[in-house]
Every structure is written in structure tokens, then in C-alpha cells.
Amino acid sequence: MNILIAILVLGVIIFIHELGHFLTAKFFKMPVSEFSIGMGPQVYSYDTMKTTYSFRAIPIGGFVNIEGMEVDSKVEDGFNSKPAYARFIVLIAGVFMNFLLAFIIMFISIYSNGKYVPSEKAIIGNVFKEAKAVEYIQPKDRILEIEGYKINNWSDIGNNLKKLGKKEKVSMKVERAGEIKELVVPLTYDPNSKREMLGVLPEYSIKKFTMLEASKLSLKSGVKIITDTLSGLKMIVTGKVKSEEISGPIGIIKVVGEASKEGASIVFWLMALLSVNIGVLNLLPLPALDGGRIIFVLLEMIGIRVNKKIEERVHMVGMLILFGFIIFITTNDIFNLTK
């Protein structure tokens, strides 16, 4: 079941991407011979007068076969016969749809679910079982004072504990069920922060957002994903990420499958993340990718025409390199699974 969910997630992302190319190609009256979901041999196809719609055996990937992209093509209204701006829109439409899908998912999630925010007052939501304080303080306790310092909000707890330096116990004043209690509570040493802590988490409430706030947060989240993706690519290029840490389709299926155990909301957020990732990767100015083709169209739009035969050879070399990279990361995924 987890594998089916993962394949469905990837299928939706790829379908949306190819749908962008398909719809804009149709808008500019470019002939589309096939719109396929999946790769490999056809499993099912539906033929119309102009386009074949098909499902293929390998449920990863997909393509839109827009006629007239070949150098010597004489197809009427083919891709290369259209103005540069039309070709640019068709090429970038897939990435746009990936970003749009991610925005819609994030907007719906943020607007419908809101955001968990800590209580304005220093009210305890949970006490760690490992903390020594677990026998002294309880969830719903409101912390009023620590060693005589007034506690007005949650950040005051950590700030005041820092002022106290190394102490094994602290005197506290808490409000519990309407009563004020004075306690002496032992602290717990945290090796990560290398200081003594209470070992508590705040009480959270759900903050709802307006449609405008949800839209802004969705855009901000999308931009953050893009910057994180670019940072990750930079780390790969500079060798800061080991080759065995790079995941391909099989690795993604494993991650999505594991995420599905945590619930639908996590799967949808992961779908948004992957959709942005795929959009960014397709925008890279590399031959055979949408970004590589867009570079040549942009050059044409500013008056620099590259010989179409040279462009096609560049894309062919890029396609071979891309296939080699896919084989490498797929082999890497299989090796990681056998560990």
C-alpha cells in the first residue's frame, strides 16, 4: 500500500507537469501526437483524431510528444514553427504547474488547519518523561516565578534559567487549577545545549489565518523550499554531499511510503515539497531539461540564433548524460535498500 501511495504521489506531480506542457501546446495550436503517463510499453491508450492518451507500464515519468521539435520537421504548426514567446510559454508551463500545485497544497493546509503556536502565557503542555521535574510539575501548570524572577511568557523560562548558571534545583511558583503552589524542582542536564533545563514543552493553540495570510505564508514556504533545493544542489556539486546520500525515484518512493504512515497531511506536504523540487530541477539550464531548452529560446528572443542542428546535438548529449545520472542514482537507491 505504501508503494502505491508513493507511486500515486509521483504520478500526480508528473501528470500536472506534463499537463502544463500539453495545455499550452494545445492553446498555441501545436500538434500533440501523444500525452503519456508513465514510461515503457503502452498498457492502455485512447486515440482521438489528433492525440493519443496513454498509460505506460513503468508508473514513473511521463511525456508530451509535441510535433515539430525536430530540426528538419516540416509539420504544419509544429513547435519550431511557432514564435519564440509561444515556445517559451510551452516549455516553462510544466514548471509553473509544479509550483502552482505546491502552492495550492500548502494554501489549503495552512488555511484549513492553521498553525500551532505556543500559549502567550507560560503554560506547560507536556513534561518529558526523562526530566527530573516530571514528579513535581504537571501539564496545564502555569509558571509564575522561577527563583523570584517573574515569568510572563514562555521565553522567560529559558532566559531566566541561563541567568541562574549551574543549579541542580530551582524554587518555582506555579498556578495549578486556580491555586498557587510553591515548589522546589530539580533540573535536568541537557548534553546538547550543555546546560540545566526543566524539560518541559509549552501548551499550544491553533492560530487560524485569513486567506491573504495563508497565501503569503504559502508563498514564503515555497520560496524557502526553492532556496533549500538550490542549496542542496550546490552541496552535491561541491562534494559536500556524499554520492551514497543522493536519492532517486526508488529512494523517493521509500520516503513517501514511510511518510504515509504518519497520515494524509504529511503526504500532501511531501507532495508539495517534491513538486517544487521537480520544478526547480527542470528549470536548471542543462541540455535536455526544460531549462536547457528555455536558454536557447531566450537567446533567440534577444536576437542570438543558434543553429538548430547544433542545439539538437547539445540536447542529445544532455539526454545521454541525464540517462546516465538516472541509472547511477537508481543503482545507488537499490544499493541503499540492500544495506
mmCIF file of all heavy atoms in Angstrom, residues 297-316:
data_model
loop_
_atom_site.group_PDB
_atom_site.id
_atom_site.type_symbol
_atom_site.label_atom_id
_atom_site.label_comp_id
_atom_site.label_asym_id
_atom_site.label_seq_id
_atom_site.Cartn_x
_atom_site.Cartn_y
_atom_site.Cartn_z
ATOM 1 N N VAL A 297 15.760 29.346 -26.389
ATOM 2 C CA VAL A 297 14.645 30.198 -26.800
ATOM 3 C C VAL A 297 14.888 31.635 -26.357
ATOM 4 O O VAL A 297 14.630 32.586 -27.107
ATOM 5 C CB VAL A 297 13.309 29.674 -26.229
ATOM 6 C CG1 VAL A 297 12.165 30.634 -26.546
ATOM 7 C CG2 VAL A 297 12.995 28.288 -26.790
ATOM 8 N N LEU A 298 15.395 31.815 -25.140
ATOM 9 C CA LEU A 298 15.688 33.167 -24.640
ATOM 10 C C LEU A 298 16.762 33.842 -25.491
ATOM 11 O O LEU A 298 16.674 35.048 -25.773
ATOM 12 C CB LEU A 298 16.125 33.104 -23.180
ATOM 13 C CG LEU A 298 15.032 32.772 -22.150
ATOM 14 C CD1 LEU A 298 15.643 32.631 -20.763
ATOM 15 C CD2 LEU A 298 13.949 33.846 -22.135
ATOM 16 N N LEU A 299 17.780 33.069 -25.879
ATOM 17 C CA LEU A 299 18.813 33.626 -26.767
ATOM 18 C C LEU A 299 18.201 34.106 -28.079
ATOM 19 O O LEU A 299 18.555 35.172 -28.598
ATOM 20 C CB LEU A 299 19.889 32.567 -27.042
ATOM 21 C CG LEU A 299 20.822 32.219 -25.874
ATOM 22 C CD1 LEU A 299 21.720 31.043 -26.245
ATOM 23 C CD2 LEU A 299 21.670 33.427 -25.487
ATOM 24 N N GLU A 300 17.283 33.305 -28.613
ATOM 25 C CA GLU A 300 16.604 33.684 -29.854
ATOM 26 C C GLU A 300 15.774 34.952 -29.669
ATOM 27 O O GLU A 300 15.721 35.815 -30.550
ATOM 28 C CB GLU A 300 15.719 32.534 -30.323
ATOM 29 C CG GLU A 300 15.042 32.774 -31.660
ATOM 30 C CD GLU A 300 14.190 31.606 -32.103
ATOM 31 O OE1 GLU A 300 14.469 30.455 -31.693
ATOM 32 O OE2 GLU A 300 13.232 31.845 -32.872
ATOM 33 N N MET A 301 15.136 35.078 -28.486
ATOM 34 C CA MET A 301 14.292 36.242 -28.223
ATOM 35 C C MET A 301 15.095 37.544 -28.147
ATOM 36 O O MET A 301 14.556 38.620 -28.370
ATOM 37 C CB MET A 301 13.502 36.026 -26.923
ATOM 38 C CG MET A 301 12.426 34.944 -27.043
ATOM 39 S SD MET A 301 11.628 34.529 -25.479
ATOM 40 C CE MET A 301 10.569 35.970 -25.236
ATOM 41 N N ILE A 302 16.396 37.439 -27.807
ATOM 42 C CA ILE A 302 17.227 38.653 -27.759
ATOM 43 C C ILE A 302 18.090 38.799 -29.010
ATOM 44 O O ILE A 302 19.009 39.617 -29.064
ATOM 45 C CB ILE A 302 18.117 38.676 -26.492
ATOM 46 C CG1 ILE A 302 19.080 37.481 -26.489
ATOM 47 C CG2 ILE A 302 17.266 38.695 -25.233
ATOM 48 C CD1 ILE A 302 20.093 37.519 -25.335
ATOM 49 N N GLY A 303 17.780 37.972 -30.026
ATOM 50 C CA GLY A 303 18.429 38.137 -31.325
ATOM 51 C C GLY A 303 19.613 37.241 -31.595
ATOM 52 O O GLY A 303 20.291 37.398 -32.608
ATOM 53 N N ILE A 304 19.901 36.301 -30.682
ATOM 54 C CA ILE A 304 21.023 35.375 -30.888
ATOM 55 C C ILE A 304 20.467 34.027 -31.329
ATOM 56 O O ILE A 304 19.860 33.309 -30.542
ATOM 57 C CB ILE A 304 21.855 35.200 -29.598
ATOM 58 C CG1 ILE A 304 22.368 36.553 -29.111
ATOM 59 C CG2 ILE A 304 23.009 34.226 -29.825
ATOM 60 C CD1 ILE A 304 23.072 36.498 -27.770
ATOM 61 N N ARG A 305 20.658 33.698 -32.596
ATOM 62 C CA ARG A 305 20.117 32.447 -33.130
ATOM 63 C C ARG A 305 21.212 31.379 -33.179
ATOM 64 O O ARG A 305 22.261 31.582 -33.777
ATOM 65 C CB ARG A 305 19.540 32.653 -34.533
ATOM 66 C CG ARG A 305 18.211 33.394 -34.522
ATOM 67 C CD ARG A 305 17.648 33.498 -35.934
ATOM 68 N NE ARG A 305 16.288 34.013 -35.918
ATOM 69 C CZ ARG A 305 15.205 33.265 -35.801
ATOM 70 N NH1 ARG A 305 15.322 31.954 -35.695
ATOM 71 N NH2 ARG A 305 14.002 33.808 -35.814
ATOM 72 N N VAL A 306 20.946 30.253 -32.545
ATOM 73 C CA VAL A 306 21.870 29.120 -32.550
ATOM 74 C C VAL A 306 21.371 28.114 -33.590
ATOM 75 O O VAL A 306 20.168 27.858 -33.680
ATOM 76 C CB VAL A 306 21.939 28.452 -31.162
ATOM 77 C CG1 VAL A 306 22.885 27.249 -31.182
ATOM 78 C CG2 VAL A 306 22.388 29.466 -30.110
ATOM 79 N N ASN A 307 22.294 27.596 -34.375
ATOM 80 C CA ASN A 307 21.934 26.616 -35.394
ATOM 81 C C ASN A 307 21.156 25.459 -34.752
ATOM 82 O O ASN A 307 21.581 24.888 -33.748
ATOM 83 C CB ASN A 307 23.212 26.081 -36.060
ATOM 84 C CG ASN A 307 22.908 25.136 -37.207
ATOM 85 O OD1 ASN A 307 22.491 24.002 -36.990
ATOM 86 N ND2 ASN A 307 23.121 25.624 -38.423
ATOM 87 N N LYS A 308 19.992 25.143 -35.322
ATOM 88 C CA LYS A 308 19.107 24.126 -34.740
ATOM 89 C C LYS A 308 19.760 22.745 -34.669
ATOM 90 O O LYS A 308 19.489 21.976 -33.741
ATOM 91 C CB LYS A 308 17.797 24.036 -35.546
ATOM 92 C CG LYS A 308 16.873 25.225 -35.363
ATOM 93 C CD LYS A 308 16.349 25.302 -33.940
ATOM 94 C CE LYS A 308 15.418 26.475 -33.729
ATOM 95 N NZ LYS A 308 14.982 26.579 -32.319
ATOM 96 N N LYS A 309 20.622 22.442 -35.638
ATOM 97 C CA LYS A 309 21.293 21.147 -35.611
ATOM 98 C C LYS A 309 22.267 21.070 -34.435
ATOM 99 O O LYS A 309 22.391 20.024 -33.782
ATOM 100 C CB LYS A 309 22.023 20.901 -36.932
ATOM 101 C CG LYS A 309 21.070 20.628 -38.100
ATOM 102 C CD LYS A 309 21.829 20.218 -39.345
ATOM 103 C CE LYS A 309 20.854 19.880 -40.479
ATOM 104 N NZ LYS A 309 21.562 19.465 -41.714
ATOM 105 N N ILE A 310 22.961 22.196 -34.168
ATOM 106 C CA ILE A 310 23.873 22.239 -33.015
ATOM 107 C C ILE A 310 23.080 22.109 -31.722
ATOM 108 O O ILE A 310 23.465 21.374 -30.814
ATOM 109 C CB ILE A 310 24.687 23.547 -33.020
ATOM 110 C CG1 ILE A 310 25.611 23.594 -34.236
ATOM 111 C CG2 ILE A 310 25.466 23.698 -31.721
ATOM 112 C CD1 ILE A 310 26.374 24.899 -34.385
ATOM 113 N N GLU A 311 21.950 22.824 -31.662
ATOM 114 C CA GLU A 311 21.102 22.759 -30.467
ATOM 115 C C GLU A 311 20.623 21.332 -30.220
ATOM 116 O O GLU A 311 20.638 20.846 -29.085
ATOM 117 C CB GLU A 311 19.894 23.685 -30.623
ATOM 118 C CG GLU A 311 18.956 23.660 -29.420
ATOM 119 C CD GLU A 311 17.699 24.499 -29.607
ATOM 120 O OE1 GLU A 311 17.687 25.367 -30.515
ATOM 121 O OE2 GLU A 311 16.730 24.290 -28.858
ATOM 122 N N GLU A 312 20.230 20.643 -31.314
ATOM 123 C CA GLU A 312 19.725 19.280 -31.153
ATOM 124 C C GLU A 312 20.824 18.343 -30.670
ATOM 125 O O GLU A 312 20.584 17.466 -29.827
ATOM 126 C CB GLU A 312 19.156 18.772 -32.483
ATOM 127 C CG GLU A 312 18.428 17.435 -32.338
ATOM 128 C CD GLU A 312 17.660 17.080 -33.596
ATOM 129 O OE1 GLU A 312 16.507 17.524 -33.730
ATOM 130 O OE2 GLU A 312 18.230 16.352 -34.434
ATOM 131 N N ARG A 313 22.052 18.543 -31.154
ATOM 132 C CA ARG A 313 23.172 17.704 -30.702
ATOM 133 C C ARG A 313 23.460 17.946 -29.221
ATOM 134 O O ARG A 313 23.762 17.009 -28.479
ATOM 135 C CB ARG A 313 24.418 18.007 -31.539
ATOM 136 C CG ARG A 313 24.329 17.508 -32.980
ATOM 137 C CD ARG A 313 25.681 17.519 -33.658
ATOM 138 N NE ARG A 313 25.555 17.256 -35.083
ATOM 139 C CZ ARG A 313 25.615 18.185 -36.020
ATOM 140 N NH1 ARG A 313 25.790 19.464 -35.685
ATOM 141 N NH2 ARG A 313 25.492 17.859 -37.292
ATOM 142 N N VAL A 314 23.384 19.213 -28.816
ATOM 143 C CA VAL A 314 23.613 19.560 -27.410
ATOM 144 C C VAL A 314 22.588 18.849 -26.524
ATOM 145 O O VAL A 314 22.923 18.273 -25.489
ATOM 146 C CB VAL A 314 23.538 21.087 -27.198
ATOM 147 C CG1 VAL A 314 23.521 21.427 -25.702
ATOM 148 C CG2 VAL A 314 24.727 21.776 -27.858
ATOM 149 N N HIS A 315 21.319 18.887 -26.953
ATOM 150 C CA HIS A 315 20.268 18.229 -26.179
ATOM 151 C C HIS A 315 20.443 16.707 -26.181
ATOM 152 O O HIS A 315 20.152 16.048 -25.175
ATOM 153 C CB HIS A 315 18.886 18.592 -26.736
ATOM 154 C CG HIS A 315 18.495 20.009 -26.487
ATOM 155 N ND1 HIS A 315 18.606 20.614 -25.262
ATOM 156 C CD2 HIS A 315 17.981 20.959 -27.326
ATOM 157 C CE1 HIS A 315 18.192 21.874 -25.339
ATOM 158 N NE2 HIS A 315 17.812 22.102 -26.586
ATOM 159 N N MET A 316 20.937 16.159 -27.285
ATOM 160 C CA MET A 316 21.158 14.717 -27.353
ATOM 161 C C MET A 316 22.231 14.291 -26.358
ATOM 162 O O MET A 316 22.073 13.297 -25.630
ATOM 163 C CB MET A 316 21.577 14.316 -28.779
ATOM 164 C CG MET A 316 21.755 12.805 -28.961
ATOM 165 S SD MET A 316 20.215 11.883 -28.677
ATOM 166 C CE MET A 316 19.236 12.456 -30.078
#
